[in-house]
Amino acid sequence: MQQMNWQAESLHCVAFHTPDVSGLPAPDLFSKIFGSYPLNFNSNPAGAPPMSVAAGAWQNFSAALQVQPGRIEIILSAPSSTDDLPDPITDIPQALSAIREVAVALVALVSPVRLALVANMFKRHSSPEDAVAGYRSNTGVPVPSSAIDLTFGINVRKAGEKSGVSINRIARWGTGVQQIMMLMVGHAAPTMGRRVIPVETLMLDINSVQQSNVIGTDICVALLDDLVNETKNLISGGYDYLVG
């Protein structure tokens, strides 16, 4: 059961750290990690839970940095498209290498107790039946072709090969639809239309088990390698690799 030709909606790397070492404001942290100042910045108003987001362009990606007490998240996605369909990340291995690069810069600035790498992926299909057939092929779960909104998830832990840290390997396969809103212009007044595309989905959440102490920088880098390698192996090997 090979899982080929997935496209990524977004990749996320999350560093969980002690709340009292939040460090630099989001724009400055973005600048240190990505090497340029963000194009956009916003933060919650006073009285709301503290959170700030800095965003900009980096290499071939749209990049964002979300900062909350005890949690910093890097998000990479494809640049905005002028088409009615949003552009996905098609070269996932290259994108995984890119997010590892900026994550290494992040862990040098904070003291994580836990790291996570999340990949949100999909395959577009011409019909819901084709999406269900792909789901059956990828998971081995017997479901009728008329089934909709399927979800199957499993977590199989293992020790990281480079870091030795225990890793959760959570995989969730599913089916659904992408809904695209479009402005339709004809002889009458413009109207809003909707395009619905059947998809298979795969969410991988590869994360380290909570540590009682701060993870050293060298172990963090080795752990990031483990998270990236496990993500690549799960994309190519799928369910068989996860449970093998």
Side-chain angles (χ1 to χ4, degrees):
M1 290 181 289
Q2 296 296 307
Q3 308 219 25
M4 305 301 291
N5 302 320
W6 291 104
Q7 298 180 321
E9 201 170 76
S10 59
L11 298 179
H12 306 244
C13 186
V14 185
F16 299 90
H17 58 91
T18 52
D20 60 335
V21 291
S22 56
L24 298 169
D28 296 333
L29 192 58
F30 185 101
S31 177
K32 284 186 173 292
I33 292 171
F34 291 101
S36 62
Y37 209 70
L39 300 176
N40 300 292
F41 169 71
N42 62 72
S43 61
N44 283 350
M51 183 182 75
S52 58
V53 179
W58 179 73
Q59 295 188 4
N60 298 321
F61 303 99
S62 292
L65 187 71
Q66 185 180 93
V67 179
Q68 299 171 266
R71 185 182 189 277
I72 301 174
E73 180 175 2
I74 297 168
I75 306 167
L76 295 185
S77 58
S80 300
S81 172
T82 56
D83 301 327
D84 58 341
L85 287 176
D87 285 339
I89 296 172
T90 55
D91 190 340
I92 297 177
Q94 189 269 339
L96 287 169
S97 296
I99 203 166
R100 178 202 175 276
E101 177 184 339
V102 288
V104 167
L106 172 63
V107 299
L109 298 171
V110 298
S111 301
V113 294
R114 187 180 185 191
L115 294 173
L117 179 60
V118 178
N120 296 309
M121 295 170 289
F122 66 90
K123 296 179 187 176
R124 294 181 178 128
H125 288 277
S126 58
S127 70
E129 291 78 13
D130 287 345
V132 171
Y135 171 91
R136 280 202 304 265
S137 174
N138 285 326
T139 64
V141 177
V143 293
S145 59
S146 59
I148 58 174
D149 298 328
L150 300 169
T151 303
F152 172 73
I154 185 171
N155 178 17
V156 181
R157 278 185 177 177
K158 68 176 291 188
E161 293 183 2
K162 289 190 174 184
S163 66
V165 175
S166 184
I167 295 172
N168 291 305
R169 301 181 300 158
I170 303 167
R172 292 191 180 94
W173 292 266
T175 65
V177 296
Q178 288 182 339
Q179 299 189 50
I180 311 298
M181 302 303 295
M182 300 176 293
L183 181 64
M184 304 177 67
V185 180
H187 295 293
T191 59
M192 292 300 296
R194 185 178 66 170
R195 182 178 178 186
V196 178
I197 302 171
V199 293
E200 285 176 77
T201 60
L202 172 60
M203 188 280 289
L204 297 177
D205 182 352
I206 317 301
N207 62 80
S208 61
V209 174
Q210 179 79 34
Q211 304 296 299
S212 56
N213 298 313
V214 168
I215 308 173
T217 302
D218 290 344
I219 298 297
C220 276
V221 173
L223 178 56
L224 287 169
D225 287 337
D226 287 333
L227 301 184
V228 168
N229 290 336
E230 283 300 316
T231 301
K232 290 179 179 178
N233 290 337
L234 283 165
I235 292 171
S236 61
Y239 179 85
D240 291 342
Y241 172 76
L242 181 63
V243 301

